[in-house]
Amino acid sequence: MIDVLVVDDDFRVAEINAKYVGKVPGFRVAARAHSAAQALAAVERGRIDLVLLDHYLPDRTGLDLVHRMREQGHGTDVIMITAAGDVATVQQAMRLGALHYLVKPFTFAALRTRLDSYAALRRTVDRVGGRGLTGQEQVDRIFGALRTSPAPSAPGLPSGHSEPTTDLICGVLHHAGQPLSAHEVAARTGLSRSTAQRYLRHLEQAGRLRLSLKYGDTGRPEHRYAWVAP
């Protein structure tokens, strides 16, 4: 089994990511952390193979944490999972040895693709190292194990939509007991507001949600969505 440390300052997002990891064969969540200090302590305790790391943490950035880990001699593998999509952060992650970089919001299929390629990398390194092989062909095998292909959308969903995210939003609305706005859905799921709005519009058009309008002092109505029992 590959032991994973899930690091995210948002408890709900960390829980969702941990559940995703638990669905992938060969992986298990060894610990969760919500700050860089907690994450470093977990790594120092040992038995962590892979860190799924958010960049925006309350005490220091995720990349600062990776730099500290490397200074202390911890070679634990890292996959960045963060909303930080700027080129400078991506480049720094590459220089510090991050094996993959996944931008939020992401789908379960996208995470599973990265985890599967990471597992393939470990198998390849073990196989090549066990035989004592060297040369360009073996090097190409190791680097090739990290290649990923874009995951297709689930059948019946529009392009760019995923089944896990759809299920997450439906679950939130099903248990809410009252209509929610896109802002409230985004807060409860950890998604961006624009992503929540996109999924809510599709679900309402598909008849899975009921749309109502709430008028406030500004005169501009707020769209609110409620679960429709099948």
Side-chain angles (χ1 to χ4, degrees):
M1 296 293 288
I2 296 173
D3 288 322
V4 179
L5 169 63
V6 175
V7 184
D8 199 291
D9 66 321
D10 190 314
F11 284 74
R12 292 167 299 183
V13 174
E15 181 65 23
I16 292 170
N17 292 351
K19 288 181 178 179
Y20 280 175
V21 171
K23 293 181 180 181
V24 182
F27 290 83
R28 64 186 174 194
V29 177
R32 298 177 182 84
H34 307 291
S35 68
Q38 291 177 359
L40 185 59
V43 170
E44 289 175 340
R45 286 194 296 268
R47 299 190 304 277
I48 300 295
D49 300 305
L50 174 66
V51 181
L52 299 185
L53 181 60
D54 188 17
H55 182 57
Y56 298 118
L57 299 173
D59 46 353
R60 66 171 65 195
T61 68
L63 292 183
D64 286 341
L65 171 61
V66 178
H67 184 69
R68 181 71 178 274
M69 288 166 52
R70 300 302 182 239
E71 281 186 334
Q72 295 186 0
H74 299 296
T76 311
D77 294 321
V78 173
I79 293 178
M80 298 297 298
I81 298 183
T82 177
D86 60 283
V87 174
T89 303
V90 174
Q91 286 181 325
Q92 188 180 0
M94 293 174 62
R95 290 168 182 149
L96 289 171
L99 297 179
H100 279 300
Y101 197 107
L102 196 55
V103 179
K104 296 178 181 178
F106 58 91
T107 65
F108 167 65
L111 177 59
R112 176 163 188 168
T113 298
R114 272 73 178 177
L115 293 179
D116 285 343
S117 72
Y118 173 72
L121 171 65
R122 288 173 62 96
R123 291 192 299 268
T124 302
V125 170
D126 290 342
R127 185 165 56 249
V128 172
R131 296 175 182 175
L133 300 177
T134 59
Q136 189 62 51
E137 181 180 353
Q138 285 70 43
V139 172
D140 289 343
R141 285 184 192 175
I142 293 173
F143 277 87
L146 282 173
R147 293 173 186 159
T148 61
S149 300
S153 297
L157 290 176
S159 177
H161 287 232
S162 75
E163 191 169 2
T165 303
T166 300
D167 291 342
L168 175 64
I169 290 176
C170 288
V172 165
L173 287 163
H174 178 64
H175 294 290
Q178 61 181 1
L180 299 177
S181 66
H183 176 76
E184 290 169 329
V185 171
R188 297 189 186 195
T189 59
L191 300 169
S192 68
R193 183 173 181 176
S194 61
T195 298
Q197 286 176 324
R198 180 158 49 88
Y199 276 81
L200 290 168
R201 281 196 298 268
H202 166 69
L203 290 168
E204 187 268 329
Q205 292 169 2
R208 299 176 66 179
L209 302 180
R210 182 178 64 253
L211 173 64
S212 61
L213 300 179
K214 179 181 179 181
Y215 289 87
D217 297 335
T218 62
R220 184 176 181 179
E222 179 184 53
H223 288 197
R224 300 184 69 82
Y225 299 85
W227 175 253
V228 176

